[in-house]
Amino acid sequence: MIIDKLVVRFKDKTLIKGMAKDFSFYKSYFTMKLLDGEEVKVKVDMMKAAFIVKSFAGNQNYKYKYEDNIPYAGPKVKVEFIDGEIMIGYNVYDIYGPYGFFMQPADLQGNNKCVFVVASSIRELTMLEDGIEISRIHNL
């Protein structure tokens, strides 16, 4: 899958921005062309998440609300990352690969269109239904 605007955040809190040439949630790595033109191999197990964004600039002051209902987007989930960050969204396609899954944040006004969540970066995954917790998994 080619992704033209991708921001990868690593578990060590560093990030890179660019275009993914061969991203797949079934692969342990992919090739990314950075904004400066350099090509790098990205190891998925080093990542926290990969964000498909509307803009590389984003808005540092934007506060995500995660209140939008997105019909037919898949099951609603709450992800707590090992660094304490929490995201709420919908498990796109309801498919989990060996390294993680895609989710669409439940905030359509934010910069993130879709997020690939790396399973090893999750502290807790909670399935939600009508805002109510229906199941919880610790330490994927």
Side-chain angles (χ1 to χ4, degrees):
M1 165 189 326
I2 295 175
I3 303 170
D4 64 344
K5 289 188 182 106
L6 187 69
V7 175
V8 174
R9 183 164 304 275
F10 294 93
K11 292 174 184 167
D12 69 2
K13 300 188 181 182
T14 60
L15 66 85
I16 56 176
K17 298 177 182 182
M19 179 183 106
K21 298 172 83 177
D22 55 351
F23 186 89
S24 169
F25 68 147
Y26 289 108
K27 291 175 51 179
S28 63
Y29 69 90
F30 62 96
T31 307
M32 196 163 163
K33 185 174 184 179
L34 304 181
L35 296 179
D36 67 4
E38 177 186 4
E39 284 198 7
V40 297
K41 193 174 278 189
V42 178
K43 292 183 175 182
V44 174
D45 64 351
M46 303 297 287
M47 296 177 6
K48 170 186 171 179
F51 301 85
I52 300 171
V53 296
K54 298 173 188 171
S55 157
F56 284 124
N59 178 352
Q60 298 294 330
N61 298 320
Y62 185 78
K63 302 289 184 210
Y64 280 85
K65 296 176 183 65
Y66 302 121
E67 297 173 349
D68 292 334
N69 288 317
I70 305 171
Y72 310 109
K76 193 167 190 179
V77 295
K78 175 180 161 187
V79 174
E80 181 181 347
F81 291 95
I82 54 178
D83 66 4
E85 180 182 4
I86 293 175
M87 292 182 77
I88 297 173
Y90 296 86
N91 178 353
V92 181
Y93 315 120
D94 195 20
I95 297 173
Y96 295 83
Y99 300 100
F101 63 93
F102 283 100
M103 72 181 282
Q104 180 178 3
D107 188 335
L108 297 173
Q109 302 307 310
N111 191 42
N112 298 322
K113 295 194 300 188
C114 192
V115 179
F116 177 72
V117 178
V118 177
S120 63
S121 70
I122 297 172
R123 176 180 295 142
E124 187 171 275
L125 177 65
T126 306
M127 304 300 282
L128 304 171
E129 191 171 296
D130 297 324
I132 298 169
E133 177 183 319
I134 57 172
S135 69
R136 182 183 301 182
I137 303 169
H138 299 278
N139 301 323
L140 299 178

